[in-house]
Amino acid sequence: MSSGRDRYVDLLRALAICLVVSGHWLITVLAHRDGALVAPELLAVLPWTRWLTLLFQIMPVFFLAGGYAAAGSWDRHRAAGGTAARWVRRRAVRLLLPTAAYAALALAGLAVARTAGADPALLGMVGWALAMQFWFLPVYLLITALTPLLAAAHRRWGAAVPVVLAAVAVAVGPTPLRDLDHLLVWAVAYQLGFCWRDGLLARRGVLVALAAGGAAAFALLVAYGPYPVSLILVTGEEVSNTDPPSAAMLAWAVAQCAVCLLLAPAAERALRPARARRAARATAAASMALYLWHMVPVLVLAAVLHLPGLAPEPVVGSGAFWALRAVWIAALAAVLVAVLRALRPLDRALRRLHAAARTEAEPHSPLALVTGYAAAVPALGYWAGHGFAHGGVLPGLAFAAGTALVLLPPAAVPAGEAPVESAEAVA
């Protein structure tokens, strides 16, 4: 594995998370109307802004980079004699621990606000804003759990695997089984990461064909098919490209991944300076925290500026509105830095809990791991669709129980067992 390639994978993770965060901030509009806080939907108010989602819907790149990293991690783990259950548990813990801390604080804050008599409609908006990014987590957890099977398929059939996954995704899209596309479409990008790692996508002509073909297919599906141009859900649209991911999203994902691979040689050269490498690595390492906490600054500025009516609120789409977007994003970035610094004690506590869970050893039992997944993943999906303010305590209890089962330390560690890949990077 080339160090230059590893640095580029770090850059892709960093780029993906930064574009997701800035995209969410860009389209978030707040206004104070008749004593209440409202959030006009930018993509609905200004239809032309839906084209911006072609740039900011960058999650295919995150799955591509994740697949590349996971392929190497699983191969090393397997070569060292590690089991699939151990590998899956270790990687699940890296997602579940920070998510559990975030969810606990969000639920506690909403409970306090509810007890204090906060407006239920406002709480609903806040609860949705705090959980809107959760759609990614159950999908990534499930694909992570399937990695040993996907890797076995890759070893046997190579580049045919993403082709078959894509064909099945398109076939089930119009059927009652369409929810499978939440896994199938993103698994295509993930599996392309396997192919990238093994050099199956090294030919420039192949990448050009994939990029051009994916972009052309997307254009045709939008122009002549039922699919909208927006790559995120817009109120009022009957067809969504993301819920579940559509054939148009699949086409764009393939094109986006191919473009990233075409840019790899130039990007690897650009990352040779130590400062560029450190910046990409640091941002990639902080990607989970950035992803989880990036809507909290929006709520902070809403409380400090918009609820009291202190923030300027130009007409959406006006020149003043767009000029203030830059100020808005800069202010949010400053608040996010402050939030992450304030969370350092929590981060240290999570590291201690991670160590106590002994993730380098076998899970307590495969049944505990499977049961934990079965409880935690649906709870994450529920929050992604409904927010934190609805559903009572059941989703929280299910997620807490599921996370605890995954974290459950092994009953005993065999004498002389050596840890495997203790310094492995998060994919």
Side-chain angles (χ1 to χ4, degrees):
M1 185 191 306
S2 73
S3 58
R5 183 70 54 78
D6 291 343
R7 292 195 292 267
Y8 184 48
V9 171
D10 282 340
L11 176 64
L12 289 180
R13 291 176 184 153
L15 176 66
I17 201 65
C18 289
L19 282 176
V20 167
V21 169
S22 59
H24 284 166
W25 288 351
L26 179 67
I27 66 173
T28 299
V29 181
L30 299 175
H32 191 252
R33 300 284 186 270
D34 301 322
L37 186 69
V38 297
E41 189 175 350
L42 181 65
L43 301 184
V45 175
L46 300 176
W48 70 264
T49 59
R50 299 172 194 180
W51 288 94
L52 296 177
T53 64
L54 274 66
L55 172 64
F56 288 103
Q57 177 52 280
I58 200 74
M59 293 315 291
V61 175
F62 204 93
F63 281 96
L64 173 73
Y68 178 96
S73 168
W74 168 243
D75 283 349
R76 293 190 298 272
H77 181 85
R78 181 170 167 265
T83 65
R86 180 194 296 184
W87 187 87
V88 170
R89 175 177 179 258
R90 184 174 64 231
R91 300 181 77 88
V93 166
R94 290 174 178 163
L95 289 179
L96 290 174
L97 259 183
T99 302
Y102 174 83
L105 290 173
L107 290 168
L110 288 168
V112 170
R114 188 179 294 109
T115 303
D119 177 27
L122 179 61
L123 286 181
M125 181 189 303
V126 170
W128 176 83
L130 288 172
M132 60 178 289
Q133 70 275 36
F134 268 33
W135 72 267
F136 167 80
L137 298 173
V139 175
Y140 204 82
L141 280 165
L142 289 173
I143 290 180
T144 296
L146 293 171
T147 295
L149 294 176
L150 294 173
H154 174 76
R155 286 193 300 272
R156 183 165 184 178
W157 294 297
V161 179
V163 174
V164 171
L165 288 172
V168 175
V170 172
V172 303
T175 74
L177 298 175
R178 58 184 173 273
D179 281 341
L180 288 175
D181 279 347
H182 285 293
L183 285 179
L184 291 169
V185 169
W186 299 119
V188 170
Y190 192 80
Q191 201 76 18
L192 288 175
F194 282 55
C195 296
W196 178 24
R197 182 180 181 82
D198 278 358
L200 299 180
L201 296 175
R203 294 177 60 185
R204 185 174 180 84
V206 172
L207 294 175
V208 170
L210 286 174
F218 176 82
L220 291 172
L221 288 167
V222 169
Y224 301 104
Y227 304 107
V229 70
S230 176
L231 293 178
I232 65 173
L233 182 63
V234 179
T235 300
E237 289 184 340
E238 296 182 1
V239 178
S240 167
N241 280 323
T242 56
D243 191 23
S246 67
M249 173 62 85
L250 173 61
W252 192 252
V254 170
Q256 197 175 81
C257 290
V259 169
C260 287
L261 299 189
L262 283 168
L263 295 174
E268 289 172 21
R269 289 192 296 271
L271 287 169
R272 286 173 184 167
R275 182 177 298 180
R277 295 198 303 271
R278 286 195 298 268
R281 189 182 305 118
T283 306
S287 60
M288 189 64 183
L290 292 171
Y291 191 76
L292 286 173
W293 292 92
H294 75 273
M295 289 303 289
V296 171
V298 174
L299 302 179
V300 170
L301 292 190
V304 173
L305 297 177
H306 286 277
L307 275 177
L310 300 176
E313 297 177 359
V315 175
V316 176
S318 66
F321 170 83
W322 288 112
L324 283 173
R325 285 287 90 182
V327 178
W328 166 252
I329 291 175
L332 290 172
V335 174
L336 181 57
V337 169
V339 168
L340 294 181
R341 286 180 176 172
L343 290 170
R344 284 175 179 171
L346 175 62
D347 181 63
R348 289 192 291 268
L350 291 176
R351 290 177 185 273
R352 289 193 294 270
L353 184 55
H354 187 279
R358 302 210 305 270
T359 59
E360 299 307 322
E362 291 293 334
H364 190 273
S365 72
L367 179 60
L369 182 62
V370 172
T371 306
Y373 253 78
V377 167
L380 289 170
Y382 180 87
W383 282 329
H386 299 85
F388 282 124
H390 304 289
V393 299
L394 287 180
L397 290 175
F399 182 72
T403 301
L405 285 170
V406 175
L407 284 172
L408 197 63
V413 179
E417 178 176 305
V420 179
E421 294 184 282
S422 58
E424 174 194 329
V426 176

